[in-house]
Amino acid sequence: MPAYKDELRTKKRKRLVSRLAFFVVVLVAGTTGATYLLFFARLVDVRDMTIETSEELRAGIDSTANDWLDGGFWQFTKRNNLFFLSGDALVSSLLGQFPELESAAVTKKFPHSLIISTRERRPEGIWCLTGADRCFYFDKNGKAFGETQPSDGFLVLNVIDQRPRELKLGDIVAEEGWTTNILKARELLAKSDVNVSAFIIPVDSFDEFHAKTAQGWKILFSNQTDIESQISSLTSFLKEKLTPAQIPQPQYIDLRIQDRIYYK
């Protein structure tokens, strides 16, 4: 009787081991098959890529995107499967490499296509550092996105920053108050028929900037004042008091104190 029970236990143990082994084999085979289908069978891999951007950036974006797609661990590259490809991660990589881009979007077109569309920054003006002898295009948010040369004339906003400082691509050219007030001053002065060739930030400036007019005289501003109201007062002053008969051409008009106008 005891021998019979031992034999029964042995048979049950063998059946359990056999079932467990079968389960393991099925699990391994299923995992291997799924891995092959997902990453090596090329059912949904990236084969075609369309880039909607300017001709100047197309080649660079294409190269950067392909390098990103080919990155990964061993044979598991990002290119292998559209399902697991992170569009946000690719966008982040592109924006980090190309400061000219304001935004980008990635669209998956199954089974094998990827569409990258971009929007480039629009220049609001040129910001020059006299100490570093470098000039940058900057956008409406004050971000430097491309190096350039100083510009003459009145069509492009020119800012000459004489303070000792450094800038690089992707940096904000100045604190928000500076760019906001300079852009506002340029717009309002143009409406008042005052042509400005450049805005100058003096070397020792804390909150002061100057507008150099086409005639050569300057308008002195402070970030601590209401630029709009000061220019409104300036417009009235130019029409009513500062006529050629009174003063042919001033050296400067000082608007640095709120509700006050001084000139020389």
Side-chain angles (χ1 to χ4, degrees):
M1 191 67 176
Y4 172 76
K5 290 182 177 180
D6 290 341
E7 184 179 352
L8 186 61
R9 289 194 193 96
T10 300
K11 289 181 179 180
K12 288 182 178 180
R13 189 179 299 112
K14 287 181 178 179
R15 283 199 297 269
L16 180 62
V17 171
S18 297
R19 291 174 180 173
L20 182 61
F22 177 76
F23 174 77
V24 171
V25 169
V26 171
L27 179 63
V28 171
T31 302
T32 303
T35 301
Y36 175 79
L37 289 174
L38 288 173
F39 297 102
F40 300 104
R42 302 191 67 188
L43 296 179
V44 286
D45 62 333
V46 179
R47 301 181 191 178
D48 304 307
M49 187 165 57
T50 301
I51 300 175
E52 299 173 347
T53 191
S54 66
E55 288 299 324
E56 292 80 4
L57 295 178
R58 191 182 307 280
I61 291 176
D62 180 80
S63 176
T64 299
N66 275 298
D67 288 344
W68 185 89
L69 289 170
D70 291 332
F73 173 73
W74 192 47
Q75 298 295 321
F76 299 93
T77 66
K78 303 180 183 76
R79 184 189 298 276
N80 286 357
N81 194 297
L82 269 175
F83 283 112
F84 298 116
L85 187 150
S86 172
D88 290 342
L90 176 53
V91 165
S92 178
S93 177
L94 293 174
L95 295 181
Q97 290 289 324
F98 298 93
E100 302 97 326
L101 298 181
E102 182 176 352
S103 64
V106 173
T107 304
K108 303 175 185 179
K109 301 287 285 187
F110 289 93
H112 301 294
S113 298
L114 204 64
I115 300 174
I116 298 174
S117 55
T118 69
R119 182 169 63 185
E120 296 179 42
R121 299 182 186 279
R122 297 180 59 183
E124 287 289 338
I126 297 174
W127 197 285
C128 293
L129 301 178
T130 56
D133 194 25
R134 298 180 71 184
C135 295
F136 301 87
Y137 287 117
F138 68 95
D139 69 357
K140 60 183 179 181
N141 297 315
K143 177 166 284 191
F145 64 88
E147 291 205 49
T148 185
Q149 297 297 318
S151 175
D152 296 326
F154 311 100
L155 296 179
V156 178
L157 168 61
N158 292 284
V159 181
I160 301 172
D161 192 343
Q162 299 176 340
R163 297 171 298 175
R165 52 194 297 260
E166 296 289 336
L167 277 179
K168 61 180 183 298
L169 291 175
D171 285 349
I172 300 299
V173 294
E175 294 83 355
E176 183 178 359
W178 287 97
T179 52
T180 300
N181 284 333
I182 288 175
L183 289 171
K184 184 184 294 184
R186 186 203 188 205
E187 177 187 358
L188 296 175
L189 288 171
K191 291 179 179 179
S192 300
D193 295 324
V194 177
N195 293 320
V196 176
S197 60
F199 286 88
I200 301 169
I201 302 177
V203 63
D204 57 350
S205 174
F206 175 71
D207 61 6
E208 178 182 332
F209 63 92
H210 304 163
K212 183 180 179 181
T213 66
Q215 293 76 27
W217 52 277
K218 295 180 180 180
I219 306 171
L220 281 52
F221 292 98
S222 169
N223 287 322
Q224 304 299 319
T225 63
D226 183 334
I227 299 295
E228 187 169 354
S229 68
Q230 289 295 83
I231 292 180
S232 177
S233 299
L234 171 66
T235 302
S236 299
F237 178 78
L238 292 176
K239 290 180 178 179
E240 298 173 5
K241 297 183 179 180
L242 197 60
T243 63
Q246 294 172 313
I247 299 180
Q249 181 172 307
Q251 294 182 21
Y252 65 82
I253 297 179
D254 191 343
L255 305 179
R256 291 175 296 177
I257 300 176
Q258 188 67 43
D259 300 326
R260 295 287 188 274
I261 295 179
Y262 301 97
Y263 67 91
K264 180 179 179 182

